[in-house]
Amino acid sequence: MLALQLARLSNQELFACDVHLVEPRPVPGPGLAYTAHRPEYLLNVRSEYLSAFPEQPDHFVNWLRVTQSEPCHFSFCSRQNYGRYLQQLISQVLEWPSSNGIRCQWHNQAAKEIRVLPDGRSAVVKLSNGTEIHSDYVVLALGNFPPLPPARHDLRYLNHPTYHGNPWARGALRSIGLDETVLLIGTGLTAIDVLLGLRADGHRGQITVVSGHGRWPATHAEQEASYPSFYATELAGLSRVADVLRVIRRHVQRAQQQGISWQAVIDSLRPDLGRIWAAWPRPEQARFLRHVAGIWSVVRHRSPPQNAAAVQEMLDSGLVRLERGRVQAIEPAADGLAVTVRKAQQPTRQLVAQHVITCTGPLLDYRRVQDAVVAGLRTEGHLVPDELGLGIQTDAHGALLTAQGDASAVLFTLGPSRRPVSFESTAVPELRKQAVALAQELGRRLLPNTEIR
């Protein structure tokens, strides 16, 4: 999206510029989220909100109509079609120079090292094939990292052939026999995707889902409704989590009295969630993460109605069984893996399954990310994780803050890594705004014949 927005800057904003897009996957555009060739994986946001261009809200829906990708149902489209949409858009930028002088080149390689030069004004990006790209600006658009191991002691299970630590890895579910038992760790949107994938494959074996809180994502309302924004009049500047929650609960009750769903109230806050988060001092942000973030994730990141119905059917039939508790250990067993689960004030119990899949969501804590690029920048003091474990410390433009607290002149980021500033930084509506703003900022900084990667 950032490359698309750079290519759309006006001629007055940008001179001739080389953009190097480093992406090791087979095609650029779909990324991890939209690569899987599974029509059962649906987007969790309605199609009308997924245009790549904020000023053209119907762009994606019109693309669906023109391509006839999903002619009968546009509400929640498949992720693979959204991946095709992004791939088509970026291919147009890669095929020929843009009218503003942008020349975009795709490197089908992984970045192995980023070295900021001593002047602090440029960097060298080293690729896996040894190529070195000298660049005036480097943007970390790294997306999400696989979850941490759910059990930290006796890590032998990590190398077990039936342990699946990354459910998004290519072919992760294909090795599971139709009658083999499966245990999922987590009940979020990732777990729902895995259940739908197993269902589509015709899986018949018992599936156990382990969750500490036992809550599934809430469901999108069948009918879209709107609720007037109350941020400016009642929420602006509130510095305590409890005060914000009190106002939201009052409006949920008011909406229900008017026959409007609670989902509409939550959705009315979306444009202002970053400002609500930023108004809280650090102790209040930490309090939110301890006590509210879990339920917030359930109500904010919702599932399409058809997905929720499919999961409920699997639960009702007994094919899926929910177990409350937290995973304490995973050990190889005679018939797969033994998972030790503990629930508060109850004795531990052991569950055995032939396959175990971690569905606890992506790793967001950059203190723990072991990716070579991230680790190198972190060691050199060019990348500083935030103390709440949400992402990377940046300024308002997405420039990385150094260990000395200065905004980098060369390193930028966007996407989930910017959660410390806005908290909500993972869905398309937020990402495209960041892409527009960062493209405009880089356009202001660029001089003739500079390069950006």
Side-chain angles (χ1 to χ4, degrees):
M1 284 190 173
L2 177 58
L4 293 175
Q5 294 299 337
L6 286 168
R8 290 162 65 90
L9 289 175
S10 70
N11 292 336
Q12 290 73 31
E13 291 174 308
L14 193 64
F15 300 95
C17 172
D18 289 323
V19 174
H20 297 274
L21 181 61
V22 177
E23 170 56 77
R25 295 185 177 88
V27 294
L32 177 64
Y34 313 119
T35 298
H37 298 295
R38 283 185 169 275
E40 65 272 14
Y41 286 176
L42 301 182
L43 292 157
N44 299 311
V45 178
R46 284 182 167 87
S47 300
E48 54 264 38
Y49 302 119
L50 291 174
S51 167
F53 310 109
E55 76 283 5
Q56 299 180 48
D58 295 332
H59 192 272
F60 177 52
V61 173
N62 289 336
W63 181 89
L64 285 173
R65 292 194 180 102
V66 169
T67 60
Q68 296 186 336
S69 300
E70 297 181 30
C72 299
H73 182 68
F74 292 126
S75 185
F76 294 95
C77 86
S78 69
R79 293 185 195 173
Q80 69 176 13
N81 267 334
Y82 196 68
R84 288 180 53 237
Y85 168 70
L86 295 176
Q87 182 181 344
Q88 187 177 103
L89 290 176
I90 193 61
S91 67
Q92 297 168 3
V93 176
L94 291 169
E95 286 173 3
W96 51 77
S98 302
S99 60
N100 60 12
I102 280 282
R103 298 180 298 268
C104 191
Q105 178 183 354
W106 169 38
H107 300 265
N108 189 204
Q109 300 287 328
K112 292 300 183 183
E113 180 187 4
I114 299 175
R115 187 171 70 255
V116 178
L117 298 183
D119 63 2
R121 307 297 301 181
S122 59
V124 176
V125 180
K126 186 174 183 179
L127 308 185
S128 55
N129 66 351
T131 299
E132 291 190 348
I133 304 172
H134 291 255
S135 188
D136 296 279
Y137 300 98
V138 177
V139 179
L140 304 177
L142 302 177
N144 291 315
F145 293 92
L148 287 173
R152 306 296 175 82
H153 303 289
D154 191 358
L155 299 178
R156 289 179 297 159
Y157 71 92
L158 294 179
N159 297 316
H160 196 279
T162 64
Y163 172 73
H164 310 274
N166 181 7
W168 300 112
R170 184 181 294 273
L173 306 184
R174 302 300 187 187
S175 64
I176 299 175
L178 298 183
D179 294 300
E180 291 182 320
T181 55
V182 179
L183 184 145
L184 309 186
I185 303 173
T187 52
L189 293 171
T190 300
I192 290 180
D193 284 341
V194 170
L195 290 175
L196 294 176
L198 291 171
R199 182 174 182 259
D201 289 344
H203 185 265
R204 301 181 293 263
Q206 178 68 54
I207 303 172
T208 303
V209 182
V210 177
S211 168
H213 54 67
R215 294 188 293 263
W216 298 95
T219 307
H220 281 284
E222 289 283 355
Q223 298 295 326
E224 277 288 286
S226 60
Y227 190 82
S229 173
F230 51 96
Y231 170 78
T233 56
E234 299 184 58
L235 293 177
L238 291 184
S239 59
R240 296 178 65 243
V241 174
D243 294 337
V244 171
L245 293 179
R246 190 176 299 112
V247 173
I248 294 174
R249 290 192 183 101
R250 185 167 66 247
H251 279 274
V252 167
Q253 293 174 352
R254 185 178 302 171
Q256 290 176 335
Q257 293 169 357
Q258 300 172 18
I260 300 174
S261 69
W262 62 263
Q263 290 96 325
V265 177
I266 300 299
D267 291 343
S268 74
L269 298 172
R270 185 161 190 166
D272 303 301
L273 290 174
R275 290 191 285 181
I276 294 172
W277 170 261
W280 293 337
R282 188 58 56 87
E284 284 296 303
Q285 292 178 345
R287 182 172 290 109
F288 174 86
L289 294 176
R290 285 195 307 271
H291 303 296
V292 185
I295 188 65
W296 173 254
S297 180
V298 167
V299 302
R300 167 67 183 83
H301 301 283
R302 302 192 288 271
S303 182
Q306 54 267 54
N307 283 7
V311 172
Q312 190 59 52
E313 180 183 324
M314 297 173 78
L315 288 164
D316 292 342
S317 68
L319 179 63
V320 174
R321 181 183 59 181
L322 179 63
E323 289 276 350
R324 292 280 301 275
R326 299 193 179 278
V327 172
Q328 301 294 303
I330 303 176
E331 300 172 302
D335 190 23
L337 291 163
V339 181
T340 302
V341 178
R342 181 176 184 179
K343 187 179 178 182
Q345 300 178 342
Q346 291 187 11
T348 60
R349 58 195 187 280
Q350 195 171 76
L351 308 173
V352 178
Q354 289 167 285
H355 293 265
V356 173
I357 307 175
T358 297
C359 304
T360 52
L363 171 61
L364 302 169
D365 189 348
Y366 273 72
R367 295 170 297 189
R368 300 182 176 185
V369 172
Q370 297 305 309
D371 173 81
V373 167
V374 171
L377 292 174
R378 189 174 57 213
T379 299
E380 295 296 323
H382 297 299
L383 183 155
V384 180
D386 79 296
E387 62 186 43
L388 295 179
L390 294 175
I392 301 173
Q393 291 189 30
T394 67
D395 71 1
H397 299 299
L400 270 61
L401 298 184
T402 68
Q404 292 74 37
D406 301 319
S408 173
V410 62
L411 298 175
F412 293 80
T413 190
L414 76 167
S417 55
R418 289 181 62 176
R419 291 182 83 232
V421 172
S422 58
F423 188 71
E424 291 289 343
S425 189
T426 57
V428 169
E430 286 77 33
L431 300 184
R432 66 188 179 191
K433 287 182 180 179
Q434 290 183 18
V436 170
L438 184 52
Q440 292 172 346
E441 177 62 23
L442 292 173
R444 285 191 288 269
R445 298 184 185 210
L446 283 167
L447 295 174
N449 302 317
T450 59
E451 293 187 359
I452 176 173
R453 169 254 180 247

